Amino acid sequence: MRNLNFNHLRYFWAVAHEGSLTRAAAQMNLSQSALSVQIQKLEHQVGHQLFDRVGRKLVLNEAGQIALDYADTVFKAGDELLSTLRGRPIDSRQVLRVGALTTLSRNFQLEFLRPLVGRPDVELIVRSGNMRDLLAQLEMHALDVVLANKPAQREARSPFRNHLLNEQPVSLVGRPRTGKAMFRFPEDLRTEPLLLPSLDSDIRVAFDRVLELANIMPIILAEVDDMAMLRLLAREREGVTLVPPIVVRDELDAGILVEHCRIPEVTENFYAIVTKRRFPNQLLSGLLNDDAEPPSQ
């Protein structure tokens, strides 16, 4: 195999970052046809198509995203060479792109990423969003993994794989009950105000079923779809809050909140959602630890 033609790589790098042949050609003072030929030559040399055409847009495919990561590294190395010789060295780092549901526990996200936090050779990019947008980014290889508390739907042509990372109990927590009797479940829920996750939450659906079987009509103070906000309200308001204890772990450790009881047969599952790739991110492979996890769902 011949050595990589770095001119071809530079042309690809410009198109990938511009997202358009037209803009990249104008930037590099080339015709679109000439630029297209250079991209084709690079694709021929590496043995993979690097872009998919979606309408009038060029979208990086998996091989293209890998090529762009390497191209970024190559051209960054030139900057590092100049910086080093000028006495201002820059460290090279690996990148892991993580998507997380906006409603997902921040404590869980931190636990998952903890092995990489603070490593000088690793750059973590964490983006929050809804499931639909995050999965779209994952499918386009703009993310390496999506963290969620529900699996991605599996269909015949679905590219997604769900890794069950953890299963957490769900509890009723609240401020210490100074001068009050011990909390009785489910009887006290007839009179005790509740802070609950929204109806979009799987644990809310399961909890409502528990109350229905107990013939209890709850007094609902608030329904919140953001676990961080639910955590803050649990600290500030009277009543009890339905959450996985990991969400309020710091408050429980500090005694600001106490765990009144765990809800039988109600749990929250945490998933890492990935796509099958020919070029997996090695940082992610280390976090998933496939040999130790339950089978993909």
Side-chain angles (χ1 to χ4, degrees):
M1 180 178 176
R2 294 180 303 169
N3 291 334
L4 185 67
N5 187 309
F6 284 93
N7 285 329
H8 297 163
L9 188 65
R10 172 70 74 174
Y11 295 139
F12 158 77
W13 182 77
V15 173
H17 278 290
E18 289 294 335
S20 164
L21 272 173
T22 303
R23 290 195 298 270
Q27 182 188 74
M28 306 190 79
N29 198 27
L30 290 172
S31 68
Q32 291 186 48
S33 59
L35 188 54
S36 180
V37 168
Q38 301 304 312
I39 300 300
Q40 291 171 12
K41 288 181 177 180
L42 178 64
E43 291 177 329
H44 177 73
Q45 188 173 22
V46 301
H48 294 282
Q49 185 176 335
L50 302 176
F51 292 99
D52 292 331
R53 185 171 290 279
V54 180
R56 295 184 177 181
K57 294 183 179 179
L58 289 178
V59 179
L60 285 172
N61 56 28
E62 182 184 356
Q65 185 63 60
I66 297 295
L68 179 59
D69 288 342
Y70 276 98
D72 284 339
T73 300
V74 167
F75 296 123
K76 182 181 177 183
D79 294 336
E80 291 174 354
L81 171 61
L82 293 176
S83 296
T84 298
L85 293 178
R86 293 169 180 168
R88 299 190 298 273
I90 304 173
D91 293 329
S92 296
R93 292 186 291 175
Q94 298 171 273
V95 177
L96 182 68
R97 301 175 180 86
V98 181
L101 288 186
T102 53
T103 58
L104 194 64
S105 162
R106 306 300 193 269
N107 283 338
F108 169 74
Q109 295 177 44
L110 179 59
E111 285 301 312
F112 178 75
L113 297 172
R114 191 178 297 280
L116 302 180
V117 173
R119 276 182 48 174
D121 61 329
V122 173
E123 178 182 355
L124 288 173
I125 298 174
V126 182
R127 299 170 181 155
S128 297
N130 59 50
M131 190 72 139
R132 179 178 178 180
D133 291 344
L134 292 176
L135 291 181
Q137 293 180 60
L138 181 64
E139 191 169 8
M140 294 175 63
H141 312 295
L143 294 174
D144 297 303
V145 61
V146 170
L147 301 179
N149 50 13
K150 60 179 65 176
Q153 292 186 352
R154 293 295 304 274
E155 299 173 354
R157 297 184 179 181
S158 171
F160 304 119
R161 297 176 59 210
N162 301 304
H163 291 262
L164 179 60
L165 298 175
N166 203 345
E167 184 178 79
Q168 288 283 328
V170 175
S171 301
L172 288 173
V173 306
R175 296 196 293 191
R177 296 167 64 87
T178 305
K180 293 184 180 180
M182 184 178 296
F183 187 87
R184 300 171 303 156
F185 177 82
E187 291 81 6
D188 283 354
L189 292 178
R190 300 184 189 278
T191 57
E192 193 82 24
L194 273 167
L195 292 165
L196 296 172
S198 71
L199 290 169
D200 292 332
S201 166
D202 290 342
I203 63 174
R204 170 63 186 281
V205 173
F207 181 70
D208 284 353
R209 191 177 304 118
V210 171
L211 295 189
E212 184 178 352
L213 291 174
N215 196 27
I216 290 175
M217 182 70 70
I219 304 170
I220 300 175
L221 283 178
E223 298 176 314
V224 184
D225 63 3
D226 186 309
M227 282 293 172
M229 178 57 71
L230 196 59
R231 171 185 178 182
L232 292 176
L233 289 174
R235 295 170 54 128
E236 301 295 328
R237 299 295 298 270
E238 295 290 345
V240 292
T241 303
L242 181 74
V243 290
I246 190 174
V247 173
V248 291
R249 181 182 57 196
D250 295 342
E251 287 78 7
L252 293 174
D253 290 344
I256 298 171
L257 297 174
V258 296
E259 185 178 11
H260 294 311
C261 67
R262 295 200 170 179
I263 310 302
E265 300 180 4
V266 178
T267 59
E268 180 164 43
N269 294 330
F270 295 101
Y271 294 91
I273 305 170
V274 299
T275 56
K276 187 175 181 180
R277 293 189 175 184
R278 291 173 293 170
F279 314 102
N281 188 311
Q282 294 305 309
L283 292 174
L284 180 60
S285 299
L287 291 178
L288 291 179
N289 190 17
D290 288 343
D291 292 338
E293 72 168 6
S296 297
Q297 301 297 307

